[in-house]
Amino acid sequence: MISTKWAKQIKSLQLKKYRKAEQQFIVEGEKAVLEVLASGWQVPALFATERFLQQHPTAIQAAQLVQPCSPDDLVKVGTFNSNDAALAVVAIPSWPAFQTTPGQWTLVLDSINDPGNLGTIIRVADWYGIQQILCSADTADCYNPKVIAAAKGSFLRVKLHYLNLPEVLTRTHLPVYGAYLGGENVHQLALSEPGGFIVLGNEANGISQQVGQCISRKITIPAFGDAESLNVGIAAAVISDNLKRLSTLS
């Protein structure tokens, strides 16, 4: 059983202001919890079913507190509709200050509001070996439970920095590519160098005017049908795939 104190703590961590105050967040589900236990990140508390505890006796040693509970307990305090494994309370890590790396790509998110989209983009970045994402202050919180669920463990390997985007982009000497409905065909780009920034805009409004002033090259994914637009997570994957491919050829 999960104590009243911990139940309140877990519930509070579903809100951004308490995550920020406590510097903690929650991870749910067997696979994601196992990944975080193996990551070296600090895990102040682990709540898990007897089955999970018996199957993973070595992994659970990474948690400071381990408490058995039922699947119903996990569902009551968490965000999943079903969870027969575990829930971990995890300390938010401190990343080094953002620095650009020549030859590497960085995704830049300008007001991405949907947590599911952000989680998908984090997973895409991890797939393509993109290790850093720059986010505007109003982009969804990367420790939102919906983001963590959608990222599928990739949040452990991709560093997100919430910064003033124009300030960062106006100082860089690397190319800044912006995703627009009109621009250079991403399939046929000639890259000036194998790396830079890839800017993706808000789901409804695209790249803001202020950030748009920092774009050095507008790019687009050519359409072959009649769809009005692509989901930003899908667009992130298509653009990342093409730019990574092209950068290996340049």
Side-chain angles (χ1 to χ4, degrees):
M1 182 177 178
I2 300 175
S3 68
T4 301
K5 174 187 174 182
W6 274 110
K8 288 183 178 179
Q9 174 81 345
I10 294 166
K11 284 285 189 183
S12 74
L13 294 177
Q14 295 171 32
L15 299 175
K16 181 179 178 179
K17 65 177 181 178
Y18 293 111
R19 291 194 295 271
K20 184 176 181 180
E22 298 294 331
Q23 287 297 290
Q24 295 177 337
F25 66 104
I26 62 171
V27 177
E28 301 171 81
E30 184 163 12
K31 190 173 187 301
V33 169
L34 285 173
E35 285 197 66
V36 82
L37 288 171
S39 69
W41 288 28
Q42 185 180 355
V43 181
L46 172 68
F47 304 92
T49 62
E50 289 292 350
R51 177 192 64 79
F52 183 92
L53 297 176
Q54 291 173 8
Q55 290 183 353
H56 308 289
T58 303
I60 64 176
Q61 295 177 22
Q64 296 172 18
L65 169 70
V66 178
Q67 187 171 327
C69 63
S70 69
D72 286 344
D73 291 333
L74 294 176
V75 172
K76 286 177 183 176
V77 300
T79 64
F80 283 12
N81 292 326
S82 63
N83 184 355
D84 63 355
L87 182 151
V89 175
V90 184
I92 293 176
S94 297
W95 300 128
F98 172 75
Q99 288 186 325
T100 57
T101 304
Q104 297 295 318
W105 293 101
T106 299
L107 289 175
V108 181
L109 307 183
D110 184 13
S111 303
I112 300 299
N113 294 328
D114 184 86
N117 285 339
L118 178 55
T120 298
I121 293 169
I122 294 170
R123 196 173 176 186
V124 166
D126 189 24
W127 182 265
Y128 287 103
I130 297 172
Q131 300 175 354
Q132 297 192 102
I133 298 177
L134 289 183
C135 302
S136 61
D138 56 353
T139 288
D141 177 27
C142 63
Y143 297 111
N144 181 307
K146 292 181 179 179
V147 175
I148 297 299
K152 302 290 185 186
S154 291
F155 68 89
L156 295 164
R157 293 175 290 274
V158 180
K159 298 178 178 65
L160 277 77
H161 304 269
Y162 287 77
L163 299 170
N164 183 308
L165 299 185
E167 285 186 5
V168 175
L169 297 178
T170 53
R171 293 198 305 263
T172 186
H173 298 293
L174 296 173
V176 181
Y177 298 86
Y180 288 87
L181 289 177
E184 297 178 71
N185 186 333
V186 73
H187 298 159
Q188 301 170 353
L189 284 177
L191 301 184
S192 57
E193 57 183 286
F197 294 89
I198 305 167
V199 183
L200 301 164
N202 174 265
E203 292 90 340
N205 302 313
I207 296 171
S208 65
Q209 183 177 0
Q210 190 176 19
V211 173
Q213 293 174 351
C214 307
I215 303 297
S216 54
R217 294 179 72 176
K218 293 183 178 182
I219 59 175
T220 191
I221 301 168
F224 299 93
D226 298 324
E228 181 182 351
S229 62
L230 284 177
N231 171 274
V232 67
I234 296 173
V238 173
I239 292 171
S240 297
D241 186 84
N242 278 277
L243 293 185
K244 289 288 285 188
R245 175 179 55 83
L246 291 169
S247 63
T248 62
L249 301 174
S250 61

